[in-house]
Amino acid sequence: MTEAITNLVKLLATEPYRLLVFLVGMMAFVGLNAAYLVWVERKGAARFQRRPGPTEVGYAGLLQPIADAVKLMSKQLIVPAGVDRTLFRVAPLLMMSPALMSLAVIPWGENLAARNINVGLLMIFSFASINVMAIMLGGWASRNKYAIISAARVVSQNVAYEIPMLLVAITMIMVTGTMNLNEIVQQQAGAYTEYSGMGFGVFFMAEYANILLGCALATVLFLGGWQSPFGILSGVIWFLLKMYFLVFSVVWIRWTFPRTQFYGLLNLSWKILIPVSLLTLILSSAMIKLFHHA
Amino acid sequence: MKNSLKEIFTGFNSLVTGMRITLGEFFKPIVTVQYPHESLKMPKRFRGHIELVRDPETGKAICFACKLCERACPSDCITVEGAKLDGAKKKSVTEYKLDFTKCSLCGSCVEACRDNAIRYTHQYNLASTNREDFIMDLFKRMEDDAKANPMPETPKPEVAPQPPANEAPKAEQPQPAAPAQPN
Amino acid sequence: MITKEVISPPGAPNETFVINLGPQHPATHGVLRVKIVMDGEYVVRAEPICGYIHRMQEKMGENRTYAQFLPNTSRIDYLSAMTYTHGFVGAVERAAKLQVPPRAEYIRVITSEMNRISSHLVWWGAFLLDLGGFTPLLYAFDDREKILDLLEAITGSRLTYSYYRIGGLYNDVDDDFIKGTREFIAQMRPRLKMYRSLVTDNIILRKRLIEIGPISKEMCRKYGATGPVIRGSGIPYDVRKVEPYSAYPEFDFLVPTCEEGDSMARYLVRMEEMVQSLRIIEQALDKLPSGPVMAEKVPRVLKLPAGDYCYAVEAARGRFAVRIVSDNKEIPYRVKLRTPSLSNLSLFEEASAGMLLPDALALMGSLDLVIPDIDR
């Protein structure tokens, strides 16, 4: 019996099966997270507002996301008249898939990456652009004035973020000399109104999956990934701790401040963040050139 | 240039201050009351719907249908009828209906009544699926309450023993009033 | 502030479109429909359409006696109900030449100022909700609960009080109320300081409010705007100082005024008004005289002599005036209610031309409109 199990484990460790196990595990992880990040946000927001949040369904409201999912799945999927049917249906899925695929290249632990691609960082940024397109498609396909206006705004915000992000990433790539995310670690260390029921649910989950991806990426790039600050117990636990701390900070900031003015945000990005990141890029390249041979 | 740098600095400071305040509030206890499991006690002067008051001595309604409350009500919710019973000096109320679908809980009726015959209840849990429940028959409610909570017997004061010849007519006096109880 | 002087160059095709703001709102605005003609992100013309909550209060005034109309006065603007009742009751007392006892006047001032604070707290929370900050609303409502509990203990209701009567008050306050109010003042002052550091000094809020929606003095005069709108534009017009009524002449308080005229100015005026209200309540509690709370000899059937009577109060939103025309009957011939929100709303159309939509919303929030007050 134990020999059969060891044989099975050895089989699963070989290449196509290992990838499959990882991908299934990843999707389960993202699905569970997307569902339970809703719980974290609702409880966190409630606590900041001195009220308890969900408490009725399950102990401390832990079954609330399941109740919400069942409710959303039981609703009729309304496709409004006159929309472009294919685009309308495809848009939420198109927003979910880049997040899932990008998570495949994140190094969760020292040997825990679904696929350790040499150009991992480039892949994540390329897939982020598909996100932008998905939002535009969702807003456009809804054939509704308000959806199109909101989608156009979200797209201009996203484009405004992407450029400084890319510049910062290029700085990192220059400094570390690689686009392979595992090596980088080792070197340091949302136009949804027309969507009913599960369509809305998938957009919601995609938003949380993207938050997860963003926090995971920030952990990889800036917080040292799975490395432990104290030298003990490094591995996936530290990665998860850092990532969830960033997720909590997202919730914290979201519920403390009002929305910034839309044009203020764009101004901030184009007039401040891009010059600052360009400056960082130039300075880093100068430092590398000057001190690299030392 | 210097101004915008200073602005970035003060701006960042204000963000950190804000987050510090909300983090402080995060660890304080909750202030909401979890309604079905806990509920609040209403203050003494809370204005719920009105009810008829019973006289502690006779056990009957103090109200004698003078209709001051009916006239004072701005929303025409109250309907009072009374009739004079045989041998009584004043009228007694025979019907008292409150249309609670129109009542605005202004308190003019309680204020207008000169004899404290109506008072507020502390009822706020009023939900129902049919409208007739809110056409309240306050007289019937008072009677139901009287049957459920009969007045305790007022203790008779110590009387010096009377000669037997005078006792019989005195004991018979309350009886004529008894059969005239309205039902 | 970004505005667009020329919406489209001459000869260009007309690419404007019309969107509706309301009548249903996600925030606590009430039922106001604003038809906005937009060019991209800019507002070309905003046309408010009111009347969705017209309840014929003035018509009801013609069918009810003076005492029967009192509950209606609380419901005209339910956030600031005490001050509106004060206006009506003051008009009737002025007409009937009734002397209200000083204790009643002081308690009226205390409860009106508490009502003003609770109204400004709702405004603050709802305004920030419009701008996207959800948490301060709940902090404001927590403070407001304390005021509502205090007022419920003496009047019996939380929002539409019907507490004042013609000639005085319904009933007297007890010591619990005085103690509770002093405790409330003591804990409200640090809370206002916390609101200052959490929200007023916050850079995101400042960027959204400073220099947004400037309203000049001429515009205020043209449309008859009163209250924090006109005080935020630099004119220190407050009915409590200009046409003193009730016990206000005996208290020492400032009228906050800001010169700039933008949304931030109106915001700061209201925050400072809360501080001044606390000051007034404290002085009133210290000087509270003893005595009856109801005038003597208030006729049960009140008939005002024929004529025109007027009385104005400073409500949370501005100048509320009641005009009663009587023809010597129990029931008035006409009750005219001059409400502040209607005048404040009427300058929205001119002030928001050429603004960006989120800026126009910030402007509308800073005007503190309560729609039942507009429609009556």
Side-chain angles (χ1 to χ4, degrees):
Chain A
M1 181 66 183
T2 40
E3 204 182 301
I5 294 180
T6 9
N7 276 338
L8 184 64
V9 171
K10 278 210 189 104
L11 178 66
L12 285 176
T14 60
E15 201 30 53
Y17 296 107
R18 188 197 71 98
L19 193 57
L20 199 63
V21 165
F22 250 96
L23 291 178
V24 169
M26 200 77 62
M27 288 184 67
F29 179 69
V30 169
L32 208 64
N33 261 300
Y36 277 89
L37 280 183
V38 179
W39 179 87
V40 165
E41 173 133 30
R42 282 176 75 168
K43 277 295 217 190
R47 282 273 144 181
F48 283 122
Q49 296 166 355
R50 298 193 70 181
R51 53 186 180 89
T55 53
E56 288 288 313
V57 191
Y59 176 71
L62 280 169
L63 293 179
Q64 183 76 43
I66 301 182
D68 287 338
V70 169
K71 181 203 84 161
L72 283 176
M73 282 195 277
S74 65
K75 289 199 177 223
Q76 181 191 11
L77 283 179
I78 301 177
V79 177
V83 305
D84 186 326
R85 307 186 80 93
T86 326
L87 289 180
F88 189 80
R89 291 209 167 96
V90 147
L93 303 171
L94 213 55
M95 204 161 141
M96 189 70 166
S97 13
L100 285 175
M101 288 192 277
S102 310
L103 284 171
V105 299
I106 299 253
W108 302 89
E110 191 147 1
N111 291 315
L112 282 177
R115 200 84 172 126
N116 198 1
I117 296 185
N118 262 334
V119 292
L121 202 52
L122 180 63
M123 180 182 146
I124 293 186
F125 279 106
S126 332
F127 278 124
S129 326
I130 300 186
N131 253 351
V132 175
M133 190 180 73
I135 299 175
M136 195 66 226
L137 280 180
W140 173 262
S142 301
R143 198 178 173 249
N144 175 342
K145 263 189 279 209
Y146 300 99
I148 295 180
I149 298 175
S150 323
R153 281 191 183 190
V154 175
V155 164
S156 27
Q157 281 180 8
N158 273 352
V159 166
Y161 301 154
E162 264 185 30
I163 299 183
M165 257 200 335
L166 268 171
L167 287 173
V168 166
I170 292 179
T171 313
M172 294 293 308
I173 295 174
M174 260 187 359
V175 168
T176 59
T178 168
M179 289 198 268
N180 184 323
L181 289 169
N182 211 346
E183 287 183 26
I184 293 183
V185 168
Q186 288 172 343
Q187 289 205 25
Q188 309 166 45
Y192 316 137
T193 53
E194 294 295 317
Y195 285 89
S196 58
M198 215 46 203
F200 174 73
V202 174
F203 263 125
F204 218 65
M205 280 179 68
E207 189 188 304
Y208 281 110
N210 276 306
I211 292 183
L212 206 65
L213 175 65
C215 294
L217 194 61
T219 312
V220 163
L221 290 179
F222 305 113
L223 293 185
W226 41 259
Q227 296 187 57
S228 145
F230 310 123
I232 49 159
L233 212 72
S234 75
V236 71
I237 297 262
W238 278 108
F239 187 92
L240 291 175
L241 267 172
K242 291 176 198 175
M243 187 177 76
Y244 283 117
F245 172 70
L246 283 179
V247 169
F248 176 73
S249 309
V250 168
V251 171
W252 186 7
I253 294 179
R254 225 213 277 231
W255 289 97
T256 304
F257 301 116
R259 283 191 294 273
T260 57
Q261 215 183 2
F262 175 59
Y263 274 65
L265 204 70
L266 295 182
N267 275 336
L268 180 75
S269 171
W270 289 93
K271 291 187 188 168
I272 298 183
L273 288 183
I274 292 184
V276 165
S277 40
L278 267 176
L279 197 68
T280 324
L281 185 63
I282 295 172
L283 275 176
S284 314
S285 48
M287 308 256 297
I288 291 176
K289 192 69 183 165
L290 287 172
F291 300 117
H292 185 66
H293 297 297
Chain B
M1 181 64 184
K2 189 165 156 216
N3 267 341
S4 55
L5 274 177
K6 194 162 157 254
E7 194 189 283
I8 293 179
F9 188 63
T10 47
F12 185 71
N13 258 353
S14 71
L15 293 180
V16 168
T17 314
M19 288 176 71
R20 189 166 30 98
I21 293 177
T22 40
L23 194 66
E25 296 289 320
F26 189 88
F27 293 110
K28 289 191 190 158
I30 60 176
V31 293
T32 50
V33 172
Q34 302 309 304
Y35 173 57
H37 312 293
E38 320 163 349
S39 53
L40 291 168
K41 194 161 152 324
M42 293 297 120
K44 214 157 39 102
R45 293 187 191 169
F46 179 75
R47 281 191 214 147
H49 68 82
I50 54 173
E51 63 175 1
L52 287 170
V53 181
R54 284 191 288 150
D55 189 342
E57 284 167 34
T58 62
K60 315 247 191 323
I62 303 178
C63 172
F64 55 90
C66 66
K67 298 199 197 221
L68 275 175
C69 55
E70 190 174 335
R71 279 202 293 266
C73 177
S75 320
D76 298 330
C77 321
I78 299 183
T79 317
V80 194
E81 293 301 334
K84 220 178 201 169
L85 306 164
D86 314 325
K89 276 186 287 187
K90 292 204 275 200
K91 289 201 285 192
S92 305
V93 61
T94 52
E95 185 193 324
Y96 199 112
K97 284 209 169 36
L98 168 70
D99 185 354
F100 199 54
T101 60
K102 296 192 197 130
C103 175
S104 61
L105 294 171
C106 66
S108 305
C109 49
V110 174
E111 201 191 346
C113 180
R114 282 191 273 225
D115 303 90
N116 298 324
I118 44 179
R119 62 170 173 230
Y120 304 113
T121 56
H122 285 191
Q123 275 269 342
Y124 60 91
N125 270 330
L126 299 165
S128 163
T129 46
N130 68 42
R131 189 177 269 229
E132 286 73 36
D133 287 344
F134 290 103
I135 316 288
M136 299 177 178
D137 187 341
L138 293 182
F139 189 67
K140 182 166 171 306
R141 285 189 185 206
M142 187 203 69
E143 295 217 297
D144 292 343
D145 185 56
K147 286 199 189 90
N149 310 319
M151 285 292 181
E153 259 200 43
T154 38
K156 288 197 176 51
E158 284 287 314
V159 181
Q162 300 280 333
N166 286 341
E167 261 183 1
K170 272 204 183 91
E172 277 173 29
Q173 267 172 15
Q175 282 175 16
Q181 268 182 44
N183 263 325
Chain C
M1 188 184 76
I2 308 168
T3 54
K4 212 168 177 197
E5 304 297 319
V6 177
I7 296 298
S8 342
N14 183 359
E15 290 183 340
T16 59
F17 57 94
V18 175
I19 65 171
N20 259 326
L21 220 63
Q24 295 105 325
H25 290 270
T28 53
H29 271 304
V31 277
L32 175 70
R33 177 175 164 216
V34 185
K35 213 165 97 172
I36 308 187
V37 178
M38 297 193 62
D39 175 14
E41 284 280 328
Y42 292 95
V43 170
V44 176
R45 181 164 167 253
E47 184 191 327
I49 299 169
C50 54
Y52 286 84
I53 192 171
H54 179 56
R55 295 158 297 165
M56 295 166 279
Q57 300 283 3
E58 292 179 358
K59 178 68 181 171
M60 282 199 262
E62 294 171 17
N63 289 319
R64 282 159 177 64
T65 67
Y66 297 98
Q68 284 180 333
F69 188 63
L70 277 168
N72 287 49
T73 57
S74 295
R75 285 153 176 85
I76 301 169
D77 174 3
Y78 39 74
L79 291 176
S80 170
M82 290 275 205
T83 39
Y84 280 59
T85 316
H86 197 168
F88 180 73
V89 159
V92 177
E93 285 161 1
R94 193 177 267 179
K97 298 200 184 17
L98 288 170
Q99 266 299 354
V100 180
R103 186 178 171 88
E105 292 282 24
Y106 272 68
I107 295 177
R108 279 185 184 177
V109 166
I110 294 174
T111 45
S112 286
E113 293 303 314
M114 284 172 83
N115 210 228
R116 189 188 310 274
I117 297 177
S118 89
S119 169
H120 281 331
L121 283 171
V122 174
W123 162 79
W124 185 72
F127 187 39
L128 284 160
L129 192 68
D130 268 350
L131 299 177
F134 300 90
T135 314
L137 177 74
L138 288 137
Y139 296 162
F141 271 52
D142 186 13
D143 286 329
R144 190 169 164 257
E145 276 304 301
K146 300 190 174 69
I147 300 181
L148 260 45
D149 283 342
L150 285 168
L151 290 173
E152 192 186 15
I154 50 164
T155 66
S157 39
R158 279 159 56 94
L159 198 64
T160 50
Y161 301 107
S162 298
Y163 181 48
Y164 304 162
R165 292 287 185 266
I166 298 173
L169 306 171
Y170 183 34
N171 52 27
D172 202 349
V173 302
D174 49 7
D175 288 328
D176 280 339
F177 174 77
I178 298 179
K179 195 160 77 85
T181 313
R182 285 197 199 274
E183 279 167 10
F184 167 72
I185 299 176
Q187 69 97 50
M188 187 69 191
R189 288 203 161 114
R191 285 290 274 202
L192 284 173
K193 288 203 179 74
M194 185 260 261
Y195 294 160
R196 186 180 193 99
S197 37
L198 177 65
V199 180
T200 313
D201 288 341
N202 189 287
I203 183 171
I204 300 179
L205 188 87
R206 296 184 86 89
K207 281 253 181 287
R208 279 204 77 165
L209 292 185
I210 293 185
E211 289 177 20
I212 303 298
I215 296 181
S216 61
K217 293 184 171 131
E218 290 71 39
M219 210 192 282
C220 282
R221 285 208 177 95
K222 193 161 87 169
Y223 290 100
T226 53
V229 175
I230 201 174
R231 291 198 281 280
S233 297
I235 305 181
Y237 180 81
D238 184 329
V239 180
R240 298 174 287 180
K241 293 277 193 194
V242 169
E243 301 171 45
Y245 59 95
S246 182
Y248 283 106
E250 302 174 33
F251 301 120
D252 170 36
F253 62 99
L254 302 167
V255 170
T257 313
C258 250
E259 282 299 322
E260 289 85 24
D262 55 8
S263 300
M264 192 66 182
R266 294 187 278 281
Y267 178 100
L268 290 173
V269 162
R270 288 194 186 97
M271 301 307 278
E272 186 58 30
E273 267 181 24
M274 282 201 262
V275 175
Q276 294 299 321
S277 288
L278 286 174
R279 227 175 120 185
I280 298 178
I281 298 176
E282 226 175 16
Q283 291 172 37
L285 284 174
D286 289 335
K287 295 199 230 170
L288 189 63
S290 53
V293 287
M294 194 68 183
E296 302 146 1
K297 293 206 219 72
V298 179
R300 200 162 255 278
V301 171
L302 185 64
K303 276 195 205 167
L304 297 184
D308 240 308
Y309 308 98
C310 186
Y311 194 83
V313 297
E314 178 75 14
R317 281 160 196 88
R319 180 173 192 264
F320 172 66
V322 175
R323 176 182 173 221
I324 301 181
V325 178
S326 162
D327 53 355
N328 204 7
K329 293 212 185 72
E330 242 182 13
I331 295 182
Y333 180 70
R334 169 91 169 102
V335 173
K336 161 72 182 164
L337 309 163
R338 185 267 174 205
T339 51
S341 295
L342 182 56
S343 320
N344 292 353
L345 173 69
S346 46
L347 52 72
F348 182 62
E349 188 165 345
E350 189 179 319
S352 64
M355 288 170 75
L356 285 166
L357 186 61
D359 293 344
L361 287 176
L363 166 63
M364 196 159 86
S366 74
L367 291 176
D368 194 4
L369 304 169
V370 165
I371 317 303
D373 199 26
I374 299 177
D375 294 341
R376 280 156 286 152

